[in-house]
Structure formats: structure tokens, C-alpha cells
Amino acid sequence: MARQKEVRTPRGLRIKRTPGDQAVQVLIYVFVGLFAVATVLPFIYVCAGSFATEKELTEKSFFLFPTRFSLNAYKYIVKDGTIFRGLRNSLIVTVVGTLINMFFSTTLAYPLARSDFRWRNGITNMVIVTMLFSGGMIPSYILVVNILHLKNTFWALWLPGAVNAFNMIIIKNYFQGLPKELEEASEVDGASDLTIFLKVVLPLSKPVLASVGLFYAVGHWNSYFNALLYINKTQMQVVQIILRNIMNQASMAEMDETLDYGSAGKPPSKAVKMASTVVATVPILVVYPFVQRFFTQGVMVGAVKG
């Protein structure tokens, strides 16, 4: 008879696993480990390549550590200081845009989560329709530029996407899963709807708020197409646009033998592209550890409850 191994769950329950169960668990761990390695290795290669020389990038198809350490790519990126202006603009767009998104998403999700709201089904269906159909790029451009006159303002990046239907529904479903007894007890104590929303519902919804907030922040930080359409002023360009211009300049400079870069030498276009990827990615990655513990719980609960 196969020997069973007794283990404890996080809740203290005892369950028995057969050797077959243990083998399956090992296979799962191996698969997840290999998948994690396959996910991380390309980014490590990009980081290593950003510090490599042109010769090494040309001769080697893959490496995790550069043979010769070089900062030419980063010197090229920061030489005129425009990258710092782009980072500042992207930070403003991300922080203010995320706050706007969270304000409108939560204030819309709360009434739609209440069973006593008469028109909640109709409004929810109207929101869902926006996930399936859109006006298109040209009508959106005409609305933002010719009607709302938001061109060359950050509002053109904030207002058109003030509410994301999918994220709002996740928050709504999470609100619906909260104990109704807490709201009823607050109403008995004389609390208004606004007080219940601010002091009862939102404090209990930190997991989903952190998760959705991260979704919104990543979207704003990576915003490229809207910034390309609506922002023409050099002083207002976000980091994605500036990095694209830098990469284009590096590609052209590599083909121009008449340019002199002094002792730093001519930067390899591949290294500049990799350095640009690192500069654009690392700032948003820094935020993830602070919301990671809320991430899985918030998304899963908000997604499965309806």
C-alpha cells in the first residue's frame, strides 16, 4: 500500500498526500520554476546588454554578464537632460491620472454594487457595452482636440480613459462581496452613504484598490500612442516619446561616420535600445513590491464574485 504523507494547510487542516500527489506537486513546482526563469532571463539579458559594448552585442547572441562594462549607452541617453524631463512628466501623468481613475472608478462602482440602487443593471450594461464597441481613433481625436480643446495638455491623457470598464467591474464585484451587515450597522448608527463609503467600504477594499491602482499606473506610465497623438510640445513629452526619439537618433548616429562622440565613443544602437528599456521599466517595477501582497487577493476576489 502506498505510504501517505501528512501535511498541514495554511489554516491548520491536516490532509494526506500519496506519492502520486507528491510527484504531481514536484512537477508543478518544476514547471513554474522553468516558466519563471524563462520570464526573467530576457530582462536580465536586456539589463546586461545595456552595459555591454557594441562588439560584444554583435558577437554574442545571448549573455547574462557583459565581458567589458560600459556606460556609453546611459551617457548617450542622459547627455542633454531631456530624459529627466520625460521622467518628470511621466511621473505627473501617472500619479494624477491614477488618482483620477481611482476616484471615478470607485465612485461609480459603489452605487452599482448596492442592491437597492434601481438603475444599477441598466447602467452596468451600458458600461459593459463600452468594452465591446468604441467610437474609433478619428472620432476620439476630433472629440479631444476639436471639441474639448485638450491638445497639448495632460488632460488629453487623463480624461478619455478616466474609467476603465473592466477595472470598474472588478471593484464593483469586490464591493458586492463585502459583508452587508457592516453597512447596515453603520446605517443604524446614523452614518450617511458617503461616510459608509469612505470609512467602511474603502478601508476594507485595500487589496482590490491596490491591484486596480497598479493596473492604472502601469497603463499611464506606458502611455505612448495617446501621448504621440495629443502632445506636440517638447516640454510636455513623456518618457516613452523621448526614449523613442533617443533610439531613433542612436540608430541614425550609428550610420553617420562624421559625428564625433569624444572619448566616450560612439554608442551602439542596440545598447541604447536596451538602456531605454531599462529606464522605462525599472521605475514602475519599483512600485510592485509595495502592492504585491494585495495583488493576487484583490484580483481573484474581484473577478470571481458577481
Side-chain angles (χ1 to χ4, degrees):
M1 182 176 180
R3 186 177 178 181
Q4 294 180 335
K5 181 181 179 181
E6 190 176 82
V7 296
R8 285 181 176 269
T9 65
R11 295 187 178 183
L13 300 177
R14 294 184 178 181
I15 58 176
K16 295 182 178 180
R17 289 180 177 171
T18 64
D21 294 333
Q22 298 174 33
V24 171
Q25 188 176 27
V26 170
L27 290 176
I28 292 174
Y29 286 152
V30 170
F31 175 77
V32 173
L34 292 175
F35 183 79
V37 170
T39 304
V40 173
L41 281 181
F43 184 71
I44 296 178
Y45 167 66
V46 169
C47 293
S50 67
F51 294 103
T53 61
E54 182 176 10
K55 181 180 179 181
E56 186 170 9
L57 286 170
T58 304
E59 294 178 349
K60 297 181 181 179
S61 59
F62 182 81
F63 55 88
L64 298 180
F65 298 98
T67 304
R68 182 180 176 184
F69 191 81
S70 174
L71 292 175
N72 283 356
Y74 290 98
K75 289 179 181 178
Y76 184 83
I77 288 177
V78 303
K79 66 177 182 178
D80 58 358
T82 57
I83 186 66
F84 300 110
R85 184 179 67 241
L87 289 171
R88 181 200 63 193
N89 291 338
S90 288
L91 182 63
I92 295 173
V93 170
T94 300
V95 173
V96 178
T98 302
L99 292 176
I100 292 174
N101 292 141
M102 295 305 296
F103 173 79
F104 285 107
S105 296
T106 53
T107 52
L108 177 59
Y110 179 60
L112 297 181
R114 295 180 63 106
S115 58
D116 57 348
F117 182 50
R118 182 183 304 176
W119 300 302
R120 72 167 187 162
N121 290 332
I123 295 177
T124 301
N125 291 333
M126 291 175 60
V127 173
I128 293 175
V129 167
T130 64
M131 298 173 61
L132 307 175
F133 306 98
S134 65
M137 183 181 70
I138 294 178
S140 298
Y141 183 86
I142 294 174
L143 174 64
V144 173
V145 175
N146 296 341
I147 299 178
L148 299 179
H149 303 289
L150 297 179
K151 189 170 184 178
N152 287 323
T153 68
F154 288 147
W155 290 106
L157 307 181
W158 294 332
L159 290 186
V163 176
N164 180 279
F166 179 76
N167 291 337
M168 191 282 297
I169 290 175
I170 290 179
I171 298 175
K172 166 185 169 293
N173 292 342
Y174 193 94
F175 286 170
Q176 289 180 191
L178 297 176
K180 301 300 180 184
E181 293 78 9
L182 294 176
E183 295 186 29
E184 294 172 357
S186 301
E187 291 177 354
V188 171
D189 292 337
S192 63
D193 290 336
L194 181 60
T195 302
I196 295 173
F197 174 66
L198 294 176
K199 295 186 177 181
V200 177
V201 175
L202 291 185
L204 293 175
S205 305
K206 290 180 181 178
V208 73
L209 297 181
S211 303
V212 173
L214 181 62
F215 290 156
Y216 278 130
V218 171
H220 282 296
W221 183 265
N222 293 331
S223 177
Y224 170 79
F225 188 68
N226 285 345
L228 185 65
L229 280 180
Y230 303 128
I231 305 295
N232 293 335
K233 290 184 178 179
T234 304
Q235 297 298 321
M236 298 185 66
Q237 288 180 338
V238 297
V239 68
Q240 309 297 340
I241 302 297
I242 291 177
L243 289 176
R244 184 205 64 164
N245 296 337
I246 290 174
M247 287 189 290
N248 289 340
Q249 293 171 4
S251 297
M252 291 186 294
E254 191 175 34
M255 296 183 293
D256 191 345
E257 299 295 337
T258 63
L259 296 178
D260 182 17
Y261 291 94
S263 59
K266 184 181 296 185
S269 61
K270 288 184 179 180
V272 170
K273 292 177 181 179
M274 293 180 179
S276 301
T277 302
V278 173
V279 171
T281 305
V282 169
I284 200 67
L285 286 180
V286 174
V287 180
Y288 180 76
F290 297 98
V291 299
Q292 187 270 340
R293 63 192 183 100
F294 298 115
F295 191 80
T296 302
Q297 180 185 357
V299 174
M300 292 304 297
V301 174
V304 301
K305 290 187 177 182

